[in-house]
Amino acid sequence: MHERIAVVAGAGGGLGQATARALHSAGLTVVAVDRTDANLADLPAAIHRVVADPTDPATAGPLLDRVVSEVGEPDVLVNTIGAHAFGDFRTVTPEELHALMGVNLGAALWLTQAVVPHMRRKGGGVIVHTGARSGIEPTAGAAAYGITKAALVHLARILYLELRPYGIRVNIILPQLIATAANRNVLPPSLLAGATTPEAVADVIRSVVTSDSAAMDELLIPVYDA
């Protein structure tokens, strides 16, 4: 069996870094993607690094072409890119909604479009997107965030149906709150008390990626207590 190649988008963030490390430790060849090289500096030297911004529709295709040229055709795509915003429906501006759609939905779509032709040539693959509990359960006080994460869940449902015939499995993980450094800087300790660590979520992603397809046929993977 060849060594599987995994692209981790958003690998400079807390969850992305933890995921890149977890997949590397599991024996996959990992390509870490982030907007700046500085965000990737702390990753193990054996992890390949590519600087790119997949929220730009023009970037995903050339990014995957570079990965294929330098490393090989991917078997796995893990998309950990995401952004949060607070405020109820009355506070949502066109600029905020457009920006969150580009990050929370656009990156997932552009990356999937770019990686699928390579997975089809290899006869299959695994795609994991990072959603949120608020994408399936409405939450007051974060309207734009919830709307865009709900759109991501619906995209994942479409991908699940459209890509299964090609042997490409799609899963979307649904954390509630992750105790990343970025979140610790802006959220009160009381809210973070029940947060999940990036490493715990990354371990779920590792299990999803490395498990047999039949054992991971569920599209939605909650990562929170009921």
Side-chain angles (χ1 to χ4, degrees):
M1 180 181 295
H2 75 283
E3 190 168 304
R4 299 171 76 199
I5 297 171
V7 175
V8 179
L15 176 58
Q17 284 205 15
T19 300
R21 292 176 185 275
L23 296 185
H24 172 64
S25 296
L28 282 77
T29 297
V30 176
V31 181
V33 180
D34 202 77
R35 290 179 296 177
T36 69
D37 189 56
N39 290 341
L40 303 172
D42 292 335
L43 291 173
I47 293 179
H48 302 267
R49 302 179 178 103
V50 177
V51 176
D53 182 5
T55 65
D56 179 354
T59 294
L63 163 63
L64 265 296
D65 289 342
R66 178 178 171 186
V67 171
V68 171
S69 173
E70 296 180 1
V71 184
E73 289 191 302
D75 303 270
V76 176
L77 167 67
V78 179
N79 167 36
T80 68
I81 295 171
H84 195 282
F86 292 104
D88 66 18
F89 78 97
R90 294 167 295 185
T91 69
V92 179
T93 65
E95 295 78 14
E96 178 185 57
L97 185 60
H98 182 268
L100 284 180
M101 277 293 188
V103 175
N104 292 340
L105 180 67
L109 179 56
W110 314 137
L111 284 166
T112 303
Q113 287 179 345
V115 80
V116 162
H118 302 290
M119 290 182 174
R120 287 189 62 180
R121 272 193 290 272
K122 298 189 82 168
V126 178
I127 296 173
V128 181
H129 291 301
T130 305
R133 185 175 186 174
S134 57
I136 58 170
E137 298 178 13
T139 303
Y145 177 73
I147 290 167
T148 56
K149 286 296 188 178
L152 175 59
V153 169
H154 198 69
L155 170 63
R157 288 187 166 120
I158 292 169
L159 297 175
Y160 179 85
L161 296 175
E162 294 187 346
L163 296 179
R164 286 186 73 181
Y166 305 113
I168 300 172
R169 173 162 52 87
V170 177
N171 299 100
I172 180 165
I173 62 161
L174 302 170
Q176 178 165 311
L177 183 61
I178 306 175
T180 62
N183 283 340
R184 290 197 302 270
N185 286 336
V186 297
L187 298 177
S190 58
L191 190 59
L192 288 165
T196 307
T197 66
E199 291 74 21
V201 179
D203 192 53
V204 173
I205 295 173
R206 177 197 56 75
S207 295
V208 170
V209 166
T210 58
S211 294
D212 177 78
S213 293
M216 275 296 172
D217 198 43
E218 290 294 329
L219 167 66
L220 306 178
I221 311 292
V223 190
Y224 53 82
D225 295 327

